[in-house]
Amino acid sequence: AQSVSQHNHHVILSEAASLELGCNYSYGGTVNLFWYVQYPGQHLQLLLKYFSGDPLVKGIKGFEAEFIKSKFSFNLRKPSVQWSDTAEYFCAVILYGQNFVFGPGTRLSVLP
Amino acid sequence: EAGVVQSPRYKIIEKKQPVAFWCNPISGHNTLYWYLQNLGQGPELLIRYENEEAVDDSQLPKDRFSAERLKGVDSTLKIQPAELGDSAVYLCASSLGGASYNEQFFGPGTRLTVL
């Protein structure tokens, strides 16, 4: 069965530190990949998505992610985090015609 | 444009009681999803609708859970009877169509507590 893993359960960073959150999936076919964010008390929002083309995808709020097909990975990055980036981050994978499979999430805490 | 609307936002019930959640998707979105999100975990799909048809309900515990989407717009998810383990956040999402690459827009969720 298709599965999504996220390397870190909880990441704590100071402001201005660089961020990389890992995401790996188990399926070897054609996939679409997403990162969603859930700020405290808010609903899930799309950060960025990859369908095809340039494997380096830029999203909102300075986030980017790189699709590495050979590693089945779609890691999320941001060069300099802010306190307002404190949130839960979910990686999601979908196969054509199938349903979204979400990872377990990574909680990011940014210290001011 | 209004987002996905869910009500109630919070619900506290005693076990064995029934409960219902309501979702109004974004206007024009044909596909509607219900997800279950436990604390510290990602959303897990319960059921997916294309218009009024439930096209995937394989993860819905049908002994106690039911859902409907009359007229292909609003949807209701029901639990009867509720169990302690049903305490979670129930999320509704919608998208433009059934294509897998369509972005899903999520509602705020209903946080259910079963005592």
Side-chain angles (χ1 to χ4, degrees):
Chain A
Q2 183 185 0
S3 67
V4 179
S5 61
Q6 292 183 236
H7 304 166
N8 309 98
H9 179 65
H10 188 193
V11 173
I12 303 173
L13 296 173
S14 297
E15 275 194 315
S18 63
L19 170 72
E20 180 160 3
L21 301 182
C23 171
N24 285 88
Y25 60 95
S26 62
Y27 186 71
T30 301
V31 294
N32 296 324
L33 300 153
F34 303 78
W35 275 97
Y36 278 83
V37 62
Q38 189 167 27
Y39 297 104
Q42 297 188 28
H43 57 275
L44 280 159
Q45 304 169 42
L46 183 68
L47 264 183
L48 48 78
K49 57 189 176 186
Y50 172 80
F51 295 152
S52 62
D54 188 345
L56 186 60
V57 180
K58 294 194 183 298
I60 61 172
K61 304 185 179 185
F63 285 91
E64 65 179 30
E66 184 175 12
F67 171 51
I68 303 179
K69 188 174 181 179
S70 61
K71 295 184 178 181
F72 303 95
S73 70
F74 189 56
N75 292 354
L76 181 71
R77 299 194 293 246
K78 186 171 184 179
S80 177
V81 295
Q82 301 172 321
W83 178 79
S84 58
D85 293 324
T86 294
E88 187 122 23
Y89 293 81
F90 295 93
C91 180
V93 176
I94 189 166
L95 306 176
Y96 183 79
Q98 303 297 316
N99 292 310
F100 268 55
V101 177
F102 283 86
T106 296
R107 183 157 62 102
L108 172 66
S109 298
V110 180
L111 306 177
Chain B
E1 177 183 289
V4 176
V5 179
Q6 289 188 248
S7 69
R9 291 292 308 277
Y10 305 91
K11 188 74 177 179
I12 301 174
I13 60 172
E14 294 187 345
K15 62 181 180 181
K16 301 185 181 180
Q17 294 301 307
V19 64
F21 315 124
W22 175 81
C23 173
N24 181 245
I26 292 174
S27 178
H29 281 194
N30 299 326
T31 308
L32 184 145
Y33 312 77
W34 282 103
Y35 288 89
L36 165 72
Q37 187 177 19
N38 286 306
L39 188 64
Q41 298 182 25
E44 299 171 33
L45 182 72
L46 289 172
I47 189 168
R48 173 166 65 102
Y49 281 93
E50 298 290 344
N51 298 303
E52 66 273 10
E53 181 184 0
V55 296
D56 187 348
D57 62 356
S58 57
Q59 302 304 312
L60 191 71
K62 297 180 185 62
D63 56 336
R64 298 183 300 106
F65 286 65
S66 64
E68 61 182 13
R69 193 185 184 197
L70 301 176
K71 302 181 181 179
V73 180
D74 295 3
S75 177
T76 303
L77 177 69
K78 298 178 182 177
I79 308 175
Q80 182 171 11
E83 298 179 352
L84 294 176
D86 296 331
S87 294
V89 176
Y90 291 83
L91 297 170
C92 180
S94 69
S95 66
L96 270 174
S100 62
Y101 46 81
N102 284 326
E103 175 187 349
Q104 294 186 23
F105 293 82
F106 285 82
T110 297
R111 182 177 297 277
L112 173 67
T113 301
V114 182
L115 303 176

